[in-house]
Amino acid sequence: MPQSTATFLLCRLSRVLLVGLWFTLIVTARAKETASLNLDPDALAAEVTIHRDQFGVPHIIGATDESVIFGYGYAQAEDYFWQLEDSYILALGRYSEVVGPKGINSDLLNRGFEIVRSSQRDFAALDALSQRLYAAFVAGINHYLAQHPEVQPRLIRHFEPWHVLAYYRHIALELTFRFTGLNDDYMPRRNPQIWAATGSNGWVLSGSRTKSGNPLLLANPHMPWFGFAQMLEAHLMCDGTGGGEPWNFTGAGFYGSPVLAMGHNDRLGWTLVTNQPDIADTWRIRFSDPENPLAYEYDGGWRQAEEWQDTIRVRKSHGWESRQFTFRKTHHGPIVTEEEELPNGGKTMLSAQIAGLFEVVPLRQSLRMIKSRNLADFRSALGSLQVLYMNVLYADCDGNTWFVYTGRVPRRNPRFDWSQPVEGSNPATEWLGNHGLDELPQVLNPGAGFLQNCNSTPFEVTDGQNPDRESIPAYMVGDADRRTLRSLRSLELLRGMSDVTFEDWQQAAFDTEVYWARHELPKYALQLEDLAHENPQLAKRIRPYLENLLAWDARITADSTAATLCHEWYEQLYGFTYPGEELRRIYVGKPEKQLEALVRAADRLQSLHGTWQVPYGDLYRSQRPPRIGDLTDVRFTDSAPSLTSLGGHGPMGVIFTQYYTPSLEIPWVISQRKRYGIVGTSYLAAWDFSPEGVKGTSLVPFGTSGDPASLHYFDQAKLLSTQQMKPELFTKQQVRKAAVRSYHPGSE
């Protein structure tokens, strides 16, 4: 071997050893810090006060970041421990152990991506602040359990700090696995039709269009009303009396997260709208060595896959059973499906990878966003790209408005089609780092005076100043061509707004005009006249129903029978379960059949309800069954109390968006004729950003408590039903004055 080559190899080996030693020292140091994370719950409890207002919303005021997060963990457990634990059972990959076989898909996803193993390992390498805040959060949950022995966990009797890291990773995986483009038959997500219905409305209005001259922001996520993605409302405040900088933030988040996902402080705020950046890929892996079944082709040679077995414990009607599964991973990620046999007896399989799943620490970015004082601070916080995806719509008290299409998007070789699995043996398909914040689609302070996104293209968020599509890599934006009817209705509304008051802004959030009806019904009226010449008998059957719709103003009201008929017809045309915005194939290009579907819609209403003229408010309802972890488990009761619900299907272009169960009548099995809200307006807030500070109004669809015996189990449902929001309490003085009860955790 030449001396120069030997010297090079020795130097390289020395560097590897030094890096390994450095990493070992860091992990050892972190492990020592972790061992010292036994926080004193009594001391933390003494530092934080939970104030409950008339709606039971927790206002948590602490002396330090740790005490605030501790109090927030306690409050979540106090409000809905069942859901909090349910989310963490998912995160630990043990859902089947509690719910039975229907949890296997989620557990397979968890085990295949090694969520638990990686989180246990990586927690020791986290920065000390993240470790302490994770520890403080679970200390609050554990303190609640210690103070309430009557609460019996189904599985987790003691929460560990690393559980929070597993929670972040598993929930992110549940929500982003769809970006791989794999069929839902592969590693899950459960309920693909329900998840297809989730989304958000986000609006921002510049001061040029408001009466006060202040920017206005609307936050309206549409998440499931049951399960791990349901939203809660809280107010977190660190008054700084224990050292460190004070901060004050109110908004919404998810059960299990130690911080809130959206909201505002005293200077700025934001909302999130789901988007579809391409943050995940699949690679076709060729296992073609008959002598070594774990060897896979790479760069003209071979690499070795890792294979392991894991056992999933599955609950049965009596006891449990253990099922063993085999998992495999490559450097491209875990194997998620087998494709085909090769001629030599080998196989091709697909590996999947989600950008940043194991690198990001969302808590770091969230805290920086929460503590930001201006646009520069906020932009710097977002720049770390610690949240895997989401549109962000922002406003502040300095008058700025901003939209940015965020995502941890890998930089890729553009000669490959990344919408399909790429060749895993080709080194040119490796990711090349990540795109930075400045490269993502965004608009700052548009001249048109408004910004909107409703799960639609980032290239149509305003007028005249949209992002330049030609400058964006084609693989970056998965929803570049998506124009939802909600976004078109939003553009209509925002373009027409001027001299808007804060009261006007709140009312606009409850807009129930059906965009599809207003634009499509006149076309059907013309088609009916043509049909009257070609098939007068069929036209005669259709006419009374269509005339009922044509006499309607296209707005959903409680007494409108046309709104009910329109929704039923739309579902006939576009699909019965969570309809999209594309006609079913049998109706494409066939206006006669589309009109005939209106007769079938009326007949179905007649059959189920004894009349085809059913008032919308009688049929569309809101009801809250307790302890539902998965929407497939929900069972509603027509004879039980419920409230009128006046939201409409988002794909029809209804801003006040809600999705409902179908009417069902199966003799001896189920009779559920009314339709009940299960996805939609999961948090609604309107905010006004004046130079003196922020004021707001808000609601959640049910109430703060998961306890059916609580006064706050269903009290905010009345607000949603009557289309009004409640004023936010934000300053310490407002909170103390309005508090119905105040207590330290454990002394309530």
Side-chain angles (χ1 to χ4, degrees):
M1 180 183 294
Q3 184 176 359
S4 59
T5 302
T7 302
F8 170 78
L9 291 174
L10 285 171
C11 290
R12 188 167 185 177
L13 179 60
S14 298
R15 288 182 62 191
V16 170
L17 290 172
L18 285 171
V19 169
L21 177 61
W22 172 82
F23 183 77
T24 300
L25 291 172
I26 290 294
V27 171
T28 302
R30 294 294 189 221
K32 290 179 179 178
E33 291 174 358
T34 302
S36 66
L37 289 177
N38 294 321
L39 305 177
D40 182 352
D42 293 325
L44 286 171
E47 289 184 357
V48 63
T49 303
I50 300 174
H51 302 275
R52 298 280 183 172
D53 63 25
Q54 63 173 320
F55 288 96
V57 175
H59 303 265
I60 300 159
I61 303 177
T64 62
D65 289 0
E66 287 91 341
S67 62
V68 174
I69 300 302
F70 172 89
Y72 187 38
Y74 189 93
Q76 284 191 34
E78 186 181 14
D79 283 339
Y80 203 2
F81 176 78
W82 188 94
Q83 181 57 61
L84 173 64
E85 186 195 19
D86 200 70
S87 298
Y88 273 69
I89 295 170
L90 272 173
L92 298 183
R94 299 176 65 183
Y95 210 53
S96 304
E97 199 168 330
V98 173
V99 304
K102 67 183 178 181
I104 288 177
N105 275 351
S106 185
D107 288 346
L108 286 173
L109 188 67
N110 184 285
R111 307 296 179 91
F113 278 82
E114 301 179 276
I115 296 297
V116 169
R117 186 187 309 177
S118 68
S119 300
Q120 289 174 316
R121 177 196 66 214
D122 296 345
F123 182 81
L126 282 179
D127 61 281
L129 176 59
S130 295
Q131 286 188 349
R132 286 190 62 80
L133 293 179
Y134 286 179
F137 182 69
V138 298
I141 301 170
N142 291 330
H143 189 58
Y144 172 79
L145 289 175
Q147 299 297 314
H148 295 84
E150 74 280 4
V151 175
Q152 293 297 310
R154 289 170 292 159
L155 184 70
I156 308 173
R157 299 191 176 278
H158 186 80
F159 290 75
E160 301 286 346
W162 67 265
H163 288 182
V164 186
L165 190 57
Y167 164 85
Y168 272 132
R169 289 175 173 178
H170 183 82
I171 298 305
L173 183 58
E174 290 266 359
L175 296 174
T176 61
F177 187 75
R178 59 195 169 94
F179 292 134
T180 63
L182 291 173
N183 185 289
D184 293 300
D185 292 338
Y186 299 128
M187 286 183 172
R189 179 61 237 166
R190 300 186 308 274
N191 304 331
Q193 294 171 334
I194 291 173
W195 281 102
T198 62
S200 308
N201 295 337
W203 294 351
V204 186
L205 207 60
S206 300
S208 61
R209 287 180 175 264
T210 68
K211 190 174 186 66
S212 64
N214 304 332
L216 300 174
L217 193 151
L218 181 76
N220 186 203
H222 306 150
M223 300 301 289
W225 290 359
F226 305 90
F228 73 85
Q230 68 183 292
M231 304 201 76
L232 62 86
E233 182 180 18
H235 177 201
L236 309 180
M237 181 190 301
C238 176
D239 61 16
T241 55
E245 60 179 315
W247 51 273
N248 188 4
F249 192 83
T250 190
F254 302 96
Y255 288 98
S257 174
V259 289
L260 296 165
M262 64 189 74
H264 68 83
N265 61 26
D266 62 319
R267 299 300 304 167
L268 57 84
W270 71 91
T271 189
L272 303 175
V273 175
T274 50
N275 59 355
Q276 296 180 28
D278 191 355
I279 62 171
D281 284 312
T282 55
W283 287 262
R284 181 164 288 110
I285 310 299
R286 302 183 185 277
F287 293 92
S288 57
D289 185 350
E291 303 298 323
N292 185 354
L294 292 181
Y296 62 95
E297 298 176 14
Y298 186 75
D299 195 19
W302 304 90
R303 284 196 175 189
Q304 192 76 5
E306 182 181 337
E307 191 170 84
W308 72 98
Q309 291 186 326
D310 206 345
T311 300
I312 295 177
R313 195 170 183 235
V314 183
R315 187 179 186 89
K316 306 291 285 183
S317 56
H318 298 287
W320 290 264
E321 71 173 10
S322 294
R323 301 188 188 180
Q324 195 169 66
F325 296 88
T326 299
F327 299 90
R328 184 183 294 188
K329 67 178 178 180
T330 72
H331 77 286
H332 285 303
I335 296 294
V336 292
T337 188
E338 295 185 8
E339 283 197 311
E340 61 183 0
E341 298 281 342
L342 295 174
N344 64 356
K347 292 181 179 180
T348 64
M349 302 182 181
L350 296 182
S351 275
Q353 190 173 351
I354 295 167
L357 183 64
F358 299 105
E359 291 78 39
V360 302
V361 184
L363 178 67
R364 296 173 184 167
Q365 177 171 308
S366 296
L367 279 175
R368 289 187 62 195
M369 292 164 69
I370 284 169
K371 296 180 179 182
S372 295
R373 306 304 302 153
N374 51 48
L375 178 60
D377 288 350
F378 188 80
R379 189 182 184 91
S380 175
L382 274 188
S384 64
L385 297 177
Q386 296 294 293
V387 176
L388 299 185
Y389 72 105
M390 281 291 176
N391 291 314
V392 177
L393 289 101
Y394 164 98
D396 64 32
C397 294
D398 299 319
N400 294 303
T401 60
W402 187 37
F403 163 85
V404 57
Y405 183 95
T406 69
R408 197 174 176 90
V409 182
R411 199 180 300 276
R412 302 166 169 96
N413 188 324
R415 68 186 177 92
F416 298 101
D417 179 5
W418 293 94
S419 67
Q420 301 296 321
V422 293
E423 183 56 55
S425 63
N426 188 346
T429 63
E430 299 288 349
W431 286 345
L432 308 170
N434 297 307
H435 288 277
L437 181 67
D438 290 342
E439 300 174 83
L440 302 175
Q442 53 196 285
V443 178
L444 175 65
N445 295 326
F450 67 85
L451 291 160
Q452 67 80 35
N453 191 271
C454 300
N455 314 114
S456 47
T457 174
F459 304 116
E460 195 174 8
V461 296
T462 188
D463 286 337
Q465 198 176 326
N466 286 296
D468 177 17
R469 183 168 182 171
E470 298 303 315
S471 67
I472 304 297
Y475 61 73
M476 179 180 285
V477 180
D479 43 2
D481 297 313
R482 191 177 187 206
R483 300 174 79 237
T484 65
L485 296 191
R486 279 182 293 116
S487 70
L488 296 178
R489 176 59 181 155
S490 294
L491 288 167
E492 280 186 346
L493 285 168
L494 294 170
R495 285 167 179 155
M497 288 186 177
S498 62
D499 209 27
V500 175
T501 67
F502 188 46
E503 290 69 28
D504 296 334
W505 187 242
Q506 295 172 63
Q507 197 55 49
F510 295 105
D511 182 75
T512 60
E513 180 172 301
V514 182
Y515 183 94
W516 179 86
R518 184 163 59 81
H519 286 265
E520 297 300 318
L521 289 179
K523 300 176 186 177
Y524 282 114
L526 296 175
Q527 290 168 359
L528 181 63
E529 296 312 312
D530 292 338
L531 184 63
H533 297 292
E534 300 167 7
N535 190 340
Q537 188 173 359
L538 177 60
K540 184 178 180 180
R541 290 179 60 205
I542 294 167
R543 190 173 297 281
Y545 307 127
L546 189 59
E547 286 181 348
N548 177 269
L549 294 177
L550 292 170
W552 173 46
D553 65 359
R555 293 186 178 276
I556 298 170
T557 59
D559 59 356
S560 172
T561 62
T564 304
L565 179 60
C566 184
H567 275 65
E568 191 71 32
W569 184 25
Y570 188 91
E571 290 180 353
Q572 290 279 342
L573 294 173
Y574 293 82
F576 283 98
T577 53
Y578 304 95
E581 297 187 18
E582 293 184 8
L583 278 170
R584 295 165 64 192
R585 189 176 302 175
I586 60 172
Y587 294 117
V588 174
K590 301 174 182 177
E592 179 177 325
K593 284 190 173 297
Q594 294 169 25
L595 284 167
E596 194 174 3
L598 175 57
V599 177
R600 283 196 294 277
D603 287 347
R604 187 167 189 271
L605 290 172
Q606 183 77 39
S607 174
L608 283 167
H609 308 291
T611 177
W612 63 269
Q613 293 181 299
V614 185
Y616 195 89
D618 290 353
L619 184 57
Y620 290 83
R621 311 293 292 177
S622 178
Q623 192 180 91
R624 188 184 190 184
R627 298 187 174 185
I628 302 297
D630 193 326
L631 288 173
T632 57
D633 299 331
V634 183
R635 292 293 180 270
F636 298 93
T637 305
D638 288 346
S639 60
S642 62
L643 293 173
T644 296
S645 182
L646 297 181
H649 285 312
M652 298 178 73
V654 182
I655 295 303
F656 184 24
T657 302
Q658 288 170 221
Y659 300 91
Y660 302 85
T661 60
S663 295
L664 297 172
E665 183 63 38
I666 305 174
W668 310 107
V669 177
I670 186 172
S671 177
Q672 185 180 291
R673 299 189 180 194
K674 294 181 181 179
R675 308 191 63 175
Y676 297 94
I678 53 174
V679 180
T681 297
S682 49
Y683 171 67
L684 181 60
W687 302 317
D688 181 312
F689 296 84
S690 75
E692 294 75 32
V694 188
K695 69 176 180 180
T697 58
S698 63
L699 62 80
V700 290
F702 291 140
T704 59
S705 176
D707 180 3
S710 170
L711 294 174
H712 307 302
Y713 181 70
F714 202 58
D715 54 344
Q716 292 190 54
K718 298 173 184 176
L719 296 175
L720 192 67
S721 181
T722 56
Q723 299 183 3
Q724 56 184 317
M725 290 182 264
K726 64 187 190 312
E728 288 181 345
L729 304 173
F730 188 69
T731 68
K732 185 181 288 189
Q733 293 75 18
Q734 289 172 339
V735 169
R736 287 177 170 172
K737 183 177 180 180
V740 175
R741 60 190 182 102
S742 303
Y743 54 94
H744 299 297
S747 65
E748 61 271 22

